[in-house]
Amino acid sequence: MPRFSLDSQLAASTVRLARWKLSDALLSTDATYPWLILVPRRAGVVELTDLPWADAMALTAEIRHASRALTELFAPNKINVAAIGNQVRQLHVHVVARFRDDPAWPRPIWGATPSRAYDPAELARRRKVLVRALTQD
Amino acid sequence: MPRFSLDSQLAASTVRLARWKLSDALLSTDATYPWLILVPRRAGVVELTDLPWADAMALTAEIRHASRALTELFAPNKINVAAIGNQVRQLHVHVVARFRDDPAWPRPIWGATPSRAYDPAELARRRKVLVRALTQD
């Protein structure tokens, strides 16, 4: 039975915010959007249908939790949720706050704009408010 | 209490395959990909978090059902699942069979390539196999 370990591309492009029941809640280090990535800690899982039903329900609850936190913190015009995985096969779900004035609107964000790095103070601040929002119930 | 009616842009770009417990299962008339769109028949719902929990669970089950049908029928390299809704706000979930040799791979499909119409016989054939796969349990 292989053990779960976070995909190296995900590890290189995110910071961890919270360890939930099923998933690690990560923040993309692309500062263009408030962009969360949920990764179920299950080895070898690629598709949503690879999860047993109990895990699928847990993931649904965690996606909703992430969506609500982004909505409360950022008041976006839309939340985008997606499990794509054509490049990184380890199952991961994007939960992204979108705004009418963001650089990709109304297109999806993937590949739309070059990644913009947070400055360190901005990342620390964002991480702090997100950790607080995501770890309270 | 407003009644549900399918968004006009969705109606114009899909055909209906099945009427499930929560959602209508639609086929995109863009023949580039085997592309299902699930639309919960709930008036005014925009975000996944607008659904009560029982509906969220039903939608999760229906997404899995759609994913499995596409996997069995088309043996894709990846299933892409997304709720974006920046342009059409009525909640709808894309479930798309992706292939390493499809024209957008590995990028997401939205806006990637111009829509290609099915020829009528091809659409009738695809609809028939999908209706059969989606309506059996």
Side-chain angles (χ1 to χ4, degrees):
Chain A
M1 191 66 179
R3 283 185 55 183
F4 171 82
S5 71
L6 184 62
D7 172 90
S8 60
Q9 284 188 61
L10 289 173
S13 58
T14 62
V15 294
R16 192 161 81 175
L17 299 171
R19 184 181 167 86
W20 287 338
K21 188 181 135 201
L22 175 68
S23 306
D24 280 0
L26 310 174
L27 173 67
S28 166
T29 52
D30 182 346
T32 316
Y33 319 91
W35 178 350
L36 305 181
I37 299 176
L38 308 187
V39 184
R41 292 184 305 278
R42 294 290 184 259
V45 166
V46 171
E47 300 287 358
L48 292 169
T49 48
D50 295 337
L51 294 173
W53 175 243
D55 283 350
M57 279 193 295
L59 181 56
T60 300
E62 291 176 351
I63 290 167
R64 289 159 68 91
H65 191 43
S67 300
R68 290 198 175 104
L70 290 180
T71 299
E72 284 167 26
L73 288 172
F74 301 104
N77 297 112
K78 191 71 189 63
I79 297 289
N80 292 174
V81 176
I84 299 176
N86 303 338
Q87 311 209 48
V88 170
R89 288 185 68 78
Q90 180 172 79
L91 179 62
H92 60 287
V93 179
H94 302 274
V95 184
V96 190
R98 300 298 308 275
F99 301 90
R100 287 201 191 92
D101 62 354
D102 76 35
W105 184 270
R107 289 170 296 138
I109 63 168
W110 302 277
T113 57
S115 183
R116 177 174 78 75
Y118 281 97
D119 76 46
E122 185 189 9
L123 178 59
R125 208 162 41 237
R126 176 150 293 181
R127 193 174 187 173
K128 188 175 173 184
V129 298
L130 280 164
V131 164
R132 191 162 44 203
L134 295 174
T135 50
Q136 73 189 5
D137 276 324
Chain B
M1 191 67 179
R3 284 185 55 183
F4 172 81
S5 71
L6 184 62
D7 173 89
S8 59
Q9 284 189 60
L10 290 173
S13 58
T14 63
V15 294
R16 193 161 82 175
L17 298 171
R19 182 181 167 87
W20 287 339
K21 189 181 135 199
L22 175 67
S23 306
D24 280 1
L26 311 174
L27 173 66
S28 167
T29 52
D30 182 345
T32 317
Y33 320 91
W35 179 350
L36 305 182
I37 299 176
L38 309 187
V39 184
R41 292 184 306 276
R42 295 289 184 259
V45 165
V46 171
E47 299 287 359
L48 292 169
T49 48
D50 294 338
L51 294 173
W53 175 243
D55 283 351
M57 278 193 296
L59 181 57
T60 299
E62 290 176 352
I63 290 167
R64 288 158 69 90
H65 191 44
S67 300
R68 289 199 177 103
L70 290 180
T71 298
E72 284 166 26
L73 287 173
F74 301 104
N77 297 113
K78 190 71 189 64
I79 297 289
N80 291 174
V81 176
I84 299 175
N86 303 336
Q87 310 208 50
V88 170
R89 290 184 66 78
Q90 179 172 80
L91 179 62
H92 59 287
V93 180
H94 304 273
V95 184
V96 189
R98 300 299 308 277
F99 301 88
R100 287 202 190 91
D101 62 354
D102 76 35
W105 184 271
R107 289 169 297 138
I109 63 168
W110 302 277
T113 56
S115 184
R116 177 172 79 75
Y118 281 97
D119 76 48
E122 186 190 7
L123 178 59
R125 209 164 38 239
R126 178 151 292 181
R127 194 174 188 172
K128 188 174 172 185
V129 298
L130 280 164
V131 164
R132 190 163 45 202
L134 295 174
T135 51
Q136 73 189 5
D137 277 325

